[in-house]
Amino acid sequence: MANLVSSWSKTTQILPENYIFPVDERPGSGEVPLCQNIPLIDLSATRSQTVQEILHASQEFGFFQVIHHGVSEDLIDDTMKVVQEFFNLPDDYKEKLYSIDPTKLPTRSCRLYTSGSSYAYEKIHLWRDNLRHPCHPLDKWVHSWPQEPAKYRDFVGKYSLEVREFSLRMLDLICEGLGLEPGYFGEELTGGQLMSINHYPRCPDPSLTLGLSKHADPNLITVLSQGRVYGLQIFKDGQWLGVEPLHHAFVVNIGQQLQIISNGRLRSAEHRAVTNSTEDRTTIVSFINPSPDTIIEPATSTLDSNAPRFRPFKFKDFLKVYEEKKGDAEAMIEVYKIKP
């Protein structure tokens, strides 16, 4: 448990060497500008307007923020509070869920770990702790979730259901915008849902480390609740741009599977998480994934007169390559791109 950043970081004033990133990867002390034109989708607008705005945002940015999304603000607040309480629990309780090497555990386990996918083999660690567990179907997995705090299963369970419903709604709108047949994103493409809760404690020197390294999401679609504390940055047109947290808004990321299904019409945004020296930051992430053996390929109706740009593959094989490439978006796309 000594590895969990939240267990020891409050008493340190110097960043340990194994958390200091190489010069070309660390965020540095320069200001990253807040992006002023990040798409903000209001779901209370007309359907046709919403479809066009989502399609444009997914093509230009690869992500967008959503307001009036239908998920209760009280539920969002209660869920954020209970997951923050989890990271303040005594170490002896959290030890029951902790693993130093999640790669050796069943892929659908509920586990707490620190840093990246495999702390045991990393040279440089991320400044974060992470709790993750599957959540669809809820009745199959909820029994494996933490029993403490007392309301964890209740609030996170309700939240996971509502965020899944919201995610499927987003996919229906994207489906319409791409001209896919209704119901294209059925259970085979959306059968997996993973809840990932990131905790980034206050850091003695945020200029030298990262909460999450630059990457693109390997799944279908991601929904992020980032609370009130800034930390999300996206990489666009060769520069990093900050994403201002809008309280109760959702950040929606286009995953690499959607980029491929759309034959490259949509883009998966590269992003990272930075730390700060004054406040802890906790985020709640819901990943919608295809089932492991699902074949992913460009949808026929996205091709028109264009040839497919990507070869078919199984989602589980994509995830293996993703680990090998360490989330490098360009390297991943090159693996599956059909060469002329």
Side-chain angles (χ1 to χ4, degrees):
M1 287 298 297
N3 294 324
L4 278 178
V5 182
S6 54
S7 294
W8 54 264
S9 61
K10 292 178 183 178
T11 60
T12 187
Q13 297 181 354
I14 299 175
L15 193 70
E17 187 174 342
N18 58 350
Y19 284 86
I20 298 176
F21 275 69
V23 175
D24 61 341
E25 296 180 37
R26 66 182 66 158
S29 56
E31 288 291 327
V32 170
L34 289 176
C35 186
Q36 300 300 318
N37 59 343
I38 289 173
L40 180 63
I41 309 297
D42 185 344
L43 288 190
S44 66
T46 64
R47 184 177 180 92
S48 59
Q49 177 184 341
T50 301
V51 167
Q52 291 307 310
E53 289 180 352
I54 288 176
L55 194 64
H56 176 73
S58 302
Q59 292 170 331
E60 177 69 17
F61 284 85
F63 88 109
F64 46 90
Q65 298 206 67
V66 180
I67 56 175
H68 297 139
H69 41 63
V71 179
S72 161
E73 292 183 357
D74 287 342
L75 178 59
I76 294 173
D77 290 340
D78 288 340
T79 305
M80 182 62 75
K81 181 179 178 181
V82 81
V83 299
Q84 289 171 338
E85 288 175 356
F86 172 84
F87 287 100
N88 289 323
L89 290 172
D91 285 352
D92 59 353
Y93 175 77
K94 289 184 288 188
E95 186 173 6
K96 301 172 186 176
L97 296 171
Y98 181 74
S99 174
I100 195 172
D101 187 6
T103 62
K104 293 183 178 179
L105 297 169
T107 56
R108 293 182 176 270
S109 294
C110 174
R111 284 294 182 267
L112 171 68
Y113 63 97
T114 195
S115 192
S117 61
S118 184
Y119 184 96
Y121 306 111
E122 297 169 350
K123 293 182 179 179
I124 305 297
H125 304 310
L126 297 170
W127 191 266
R128 73 151 184 178
D129 297 328
N130 178 265
L131 174 68
R132 61 176 54 197
H133 50 69
C135 48
H136 177 74
L138 183 61
D139 58 1
K140 181 178 180 179
W141 300 111
V142 68
H143 70 278
S144 68
W145 297 1
Q147 293 180 297
E148 300 292 337
K151 288 288 188 178
Y152 184 93
R153 293 181 178 181
D154 183 22
F155 288 140
V156 177
K158 291 176 182 176
Y159 179 86
S160 70
L161 290 173
E162 293 204 21
V163 169
R164 179 176 176 81
E165 183 177 337
F166 165 75
S167 301
L168 298 181
R169 185 180 176 190
M170 291 296 98
L171 288 170
D172 281 344
L173 295 170
I174 290 170
C175 181
E176 185 174 327
L178 290 174
L180 303 177
E181 61 269 23
Y184 181 88
F185 295 107
E187 184 70 13
E188 191 174 19
L189 284 170
T190 62
Q193 183 183 7
L194 182 70
M195 196 65 68
S196 178
I197 299 153
N198 296 305
H199 183 67
Y200 310 99
R202 286 164 286 182
C203 179
D205 194 341
S207 70
L208 299 179
T209 192
L210 285 168
L212 277 176
S213 302
K214 178 182 176 183
H215 69 287
D217 291 344
N219 57 310
L220 192 68
I221 194 168
T222 303
V223 175
L224 164 71
S225 177
Q226 61 171 337
R228 298 176 181 269
V229 183
Y230 167 73
L232 175 63
Q233 297 178 349
I234 66 162
F235 192 69
K236 186 177 188 299
D237 299 328
Q239 65 174 329
W240 286 106
L241 299 171
V243 181
E244 184 177 4
L246 302 179
H247 193 44
H248 295 135
F250 286 143
V251 177
V252 177
N253 283 357
I254 300 299
Q256 290 182 304
Q257 307 311 302
L258 258 182
Q259 180 173 343
I260 290 168
I261 288 170
S262 70
N263 204 36
R265 287 179 62 187
L266 309 185
R267 64 186 298 259
S268 183
E270 292 181 291
H271 53 286
R272 70 183 182 184
V274 296
T275 62
N276 73 84
S277 59
T278 59
E279 296 182 272
D280 293 352
R281 177 173 182 258
T282 304
T283 65
I284 308 170
V285 190
S286 170
F287 297 107
I288 299 295
N289 300 312
S291 299
D293 288 314
T294 299
I295 301 296
I296 307 296
E297 60 186 329
T300 303
S301 55
T302 66
L303 301 179
D304 297 324
S305 59
N306 300 315
R309 297 176 57 190
F310 306 99
R311 62 180 176 84
F313 56 86
K314 288 185 177 182
F315 178 61
K316 65 182 181 182
D317 296 331
F318 185 96
L319 292 180
K320 292 177 183 177
V321 178
Y322 184 87
E323 288 295 325
E324 294 171 4
K325 302 294 183 183
K326 302 185 184 303
D328 186 321
E330 187 174 340
M332 286 299 306
I333 291 300
E334 283 301 314
V335 169
Y336 295 100
K337 187 180 291 184
I338 296 174
K339 305 298 188 293

